[in-house]
Amino acid sequence: ILAGANARDRVLACVGALIGIAATSLLCSALHLGDVALPLLIAPMGASAVLLFALPSSPLAQPWAIIGGQVISALVGVAVAKLLAPSALSDGLAVGLAIAAMSLARCLHPPGGATALVAVIGGPAVHAAGFSFALVPVGLNAVVLVAAGIVFHRFTQHRYPHRAMAMPAPIRGERVLQRADID
């Protein structure tokens, strides 16, 4: 959207991200859930907002990708942090395994890699929260951000979430390409 976007689309993406992140921050801080030492808003949500508001038609910006990708990545990161001492290996393993888990769950979301890393390097409050970190703040942040995105895109008359278009049926007599034809 931004490469060929007009000025209006660019402004809407910026305003959407501003509203989405502000709403997420306000709501999460108003709820006062979890340990007060935990961050109320995690930094990878900023990257999620870029996808959600600047590239809303991307498969990486769909609700399941954002919510599932963030929560699954947090769970993976927490598991790695519980099993391994902090190291370059645990940092890399958290991100690599998060990619694998998101891929298997069909919710690949690049900011999830950062969320897995936060779970490993996030410090004592994140480590003390354990697996609940995946729900509060991560899951809560993701759900609020997606809800804000849905409302914002409806208000601005953009279609979101997007659904993949079905492949058209082959025209009668047309040969359908097989994998062997491509290789």
Side-chain angles (χ1 to χ4, degrees), residues 24-174:
T24 302
S25 180
L26 283 170
L27 184 60
C28 292
S29 60
L31 292 175
H32 294 294
L33 296 174
D35 183 351
V36 288
L38 271 175
L40 300 172
L41 178 67
I42 62 164
M45 290 301 153
S48 294
V50 171
L51 289 168
L52 176 59
F53 295 102
L55 300 166
S57 62
S58 169
L60 306 173
Q62 300 313 298
W64 172 239
I66 294 173
I67 297 167
Q70 289 286 8
V71 171
I72 288 169
S73 295
L75 291 169
V76 168
V78 169
V80 169
K82 286 187 169 296
L83 293 172
L84 298 173
S87 67
L89 175 64
S90 62
D91 297 346
L93 194 59
V95 176
L97 290 176
I99 293 169
M102 287 186 289
S103 295
L104 290 172
R106 300 183 64 142
C107 58
L108 190 63
H109 184 63
T115 300
L117 190 57
V118 167
V120 173
I121 66 170
V126 172
H127 295 155
F131 289 105
S132 68
F133 174 74
L135 298 177
V136 177
V138 176
L140 180 61
N141 284 182
V143 167
V144 173
L145 185 63
V146 166
I150 290 170
V151 170
F152 182 81
H153 286 301
R154 294 255 161 85
F155 181 73
T156 59
Q157 300 177 343
H158 286 122
R159 210 181 62 179
Y160 180 84
H162 286 256
R163 287 164 186 79
M165 291 179 48
M167 291 293 293
I171 299 171
R172 187 178 169 151
E174 182 180 40

